[in-house]
Amino acid sequence: MSDRSLKGRVAVAGIGESRYYKHGQSPDAEFKLALQAILAACRDAGIAPADIDGFASYGNERSDASRLAAALGMRQLRSATLQWGGGGGGCCAAVANGAAAIRAGMAECVVVFRSLAQGEQGRYGQAADLATVSGERAYLMPYGVLAPPQRFAMRVRRFMHDHGVRQEAMRAIALASYRHAQSNPRAVMHGKPLDEARYDASRWIVEPFRLYDCCMENDGAAAIVLVDGARARDFPHKPVYLLGAAAGSGYRAGADPHNSPNYASANFGTLAPDLYRMAGLGPNDVGVVQSYENFTGGVVMALVEHGFFRAEEANTFLTLDNLSAPSGCLPLNTSGGNLAECYMHGFELVIEAVRQVRGTATLTVQRNDVALVTGGPMVTPASNLLLGSEATL
């Protein structure tokens, strides 16, 4: 094992969440939600909050590390990192950054977390009133490209055109997420099943995205506790190890506006090889995938770029049976994901991956030793993560 690898060097000792709410409906402030999730993760790990000495987050997280340290009674804050850019694309990178701090000796116990209260801070999916625009928006907003669905629809439509991908492939992703949410009492869409007829009758947001192709908007918080891999057995739960992680993007992926050479891409073309190389694994070793769904089309692209099937095979591979837990050939978003569990900027996907490897998910898959998480398809930087059991080391 290379000394420059994170494989097996860091483990997840605890996981925690607040209650999840529809956007604007949390009775608690964003900072309080963050504390609820962190305290839950500490209880799960069997540690005192004072044992934490580092934080990692992403996506312009507003719950400040020093304020959290004071509220939690931490003895010392030794590491505080925030992944740059990419929005939800940083959900896996934040875990990698926290793991790197531990591996480098800059911290012993790092909490990675995300908190959102959109009622308090404003909705992510709604274009704000602006007097002036600059940067990429200056090239988009004058032409009516205002909100995330409009920006990403063009990339997905190009991908569908280039490879003959049909709407049914995207529908299967939405149906799988909603099916899994019905077994997950924590899911916002628990008790609200989705079928083909309801999907097909739903309104267009912007073609090719129907209502159920788009992620939810929610309030809440989620957190994990990271420790050195050598300590993994000292905690109450089955150890879950970091096997590999990658973040970034390829050549000119961030060229504005909508001018990247590989336009119809989820931006995992360079990340997936790095991830598999660090882990010493390949797509055939992965038993379950938690893929960030800003929109279902991005999931199709992400799965292709991680080697699960060729783009031209999307229509035959992406079926509800293939994507369903526990026995599908590639169970996907087994807690409901951003579409049906909660949009916690993708961090709920990391927690579900941990549950799968532990064997404590509401729908534990048959092959649960290796779980893949992908963050923020079509954004840059994007990131990904492989978690696994001790048997995979």
Side-chain angles (χ1 to χ4, degrees):
M1 185 185 300
S2 169
D3 286 341
R4 299 183 66 186
S5 172
L6 290 172
K7 182 177 181 179
R9 308 294 193 183
V10 175
V12 180
I15 56 177
E17 302 160 291
S18 72
R19 181 180 169 186
Y20 294 143
Y21 304 89
K22 186 177 179 181
H23 70 85
Q25 295 187 2
S26 171
D28 297 317
E30 193 169 81
F31 186 74
K32 186 173 181 180
L33 293 170
L35 290 172
Q36 290 170 1
I38 293 167
L39 290 172
C42 289
R43 289 192 297 270
D44 188 62
I47 65 169
D51 294 333
I52 302 165
D53 62 356
F55 293 106
S57 193
Y58 61 100
N60 300 320
E61 172 62 45
R62 291 175 288 252
S63 295
D64 180 77
S66 293
R67 187 182 177 203
L68 287 170
L72 293 166
M74 288 165 48
R75 291 180 287 268
Q76 182 181 7
L77 177 62
R78 299 179 61 209
S79 176
T81 60
L82 189 67
Q83 175 69 9
W84 194 358
C91 65
C92 297
V95 179
N97 292 341
I102 292 172
R103 180 72 182 118
M106 297 180 68
E108 297 292 331
C109 181
V110 174
V111 165
V112 191
F113 75 100
R114 186 71 174 103
S115 60
L116 281 174
Q118 298 193 62
E120 179 184 359
Q121 302 289 351
R123 287 178 61 183
Y124 268 43
Q126 189 173 46
D129 291 333
L130 299 170
T132 62
V133 292
S134 60
E136 184 184 27
R137 287 181 173 180
Y139 296 94
L140 300 176
M141 297 187 78
Y143 302 97
V145 182
L146 307 177
Q150 296 166 317
R151 296 177 63 184
F152 291 119
M154 292 184 286
R155 293 181 184 269
V156 172
R157 179 60 87 192
R158 173 65 178 271
F159 182 84
M160 295 172 73
H161 170 80
D162 286 349
H163 303 289
V165 178
R166 298 192 299 269
Q167 194 77 31
E168 295 93 292
M170 292 157 61
R171 182 178 65 190
I173 292 167
L175 292 177
S177 293
Y178 271 78
R179 172 179 283 187
H180 295 147
Q182 305 319 303
S183 299
N184 176 11
R186 301 182 308 276
V188 173
M189 290 299 173
H190 180 71
K192 299 178 181 179
L194 178 67
D195 58 23
E196 289 186 2
R198 188 176 173 195
Y199 173 95
D200 291 343
S202 65
R203 69 183 185 273
W204 291 109
I205 302 302
V206 53
E207 294 185 33
F209 302 145
R210 292 188 179 275
L211 174 65
Y212 296 106
D213 292 304
C214 304
C215 67
M216 295 188 291
E217 297 176 88
N218 299 107
D219 297 346
I224 65 172
V225 175
L226 296 179
V227 297
D228 189 281
R231 299 173 57 201
R233 293 184 179 180
D234 297 339
F235 299 89
H237 295 284
K238 175 183 175 180
V240 177
Y241 295 90
L242 179 64
L243 303 181
S249 55
Y251 175 69
R252 289 182 56 80
D256 291 339
H258 285 250
N259 201 30
S260 56
N262 189 15
Y263 183 68
S265 169
N267 286 335
F268 291 107
T270 56
L271 274 65
D274 285 349
L275 176 75
Y276 290 138
R277 188 180 304 112
M278 181 182 289
L281 300 172
N284 291 337
D285 299 302
V286 176
V288 61
V289 176
Q290 313 300 331
S291 181
Y292 190 108
E293 326 106 299
N294 37 17
F295 308 99
T296 55
V299 179
V300 180
M301 299 154 80
L303 295 176
V304 168
E305 290 170 15
H306 282 86
F308 294 108
F309 52 89
R310 294 184 299 108
E312 290 73 20
E313 298 170 329
N315 297 319
T316 53
F317 188 95
L318 294 174
T319 66
L320 181 56
D321 286 344
N322 282 348
L323 302 179
S324 292
S327 56
C329 67
L330 190 69
L332 177 73
N333 295 350
T334 49
S335 62
N338 287 345
L339 295 183
E341 182 184 25
C342 175
Y343 176 76
M344 200 36 54
H345 224 172
F347 209 71
E348 82 288 348
L349 301 171
V350 177
I351 288 181
E352 175 64 9
V354 174
R355 288 194 177 104
Q356 285 292 345
V357 177
R358 282 181 175 181
T360 60
T362 53
L363 286 170
T364 300
V365 301
Q366 293 178 350
R367 297 174 56 224
N368 68 320
D369 274 340
V370 178
L372 169 69
V373 186
T374 67
M378 300 183 285
V379 306
T380 178
S383 62
N384 53 15
L385 180 69
L386 278 169
L387 297 173
S389 68
E390 191 170 13
T392 63
L393 299 180

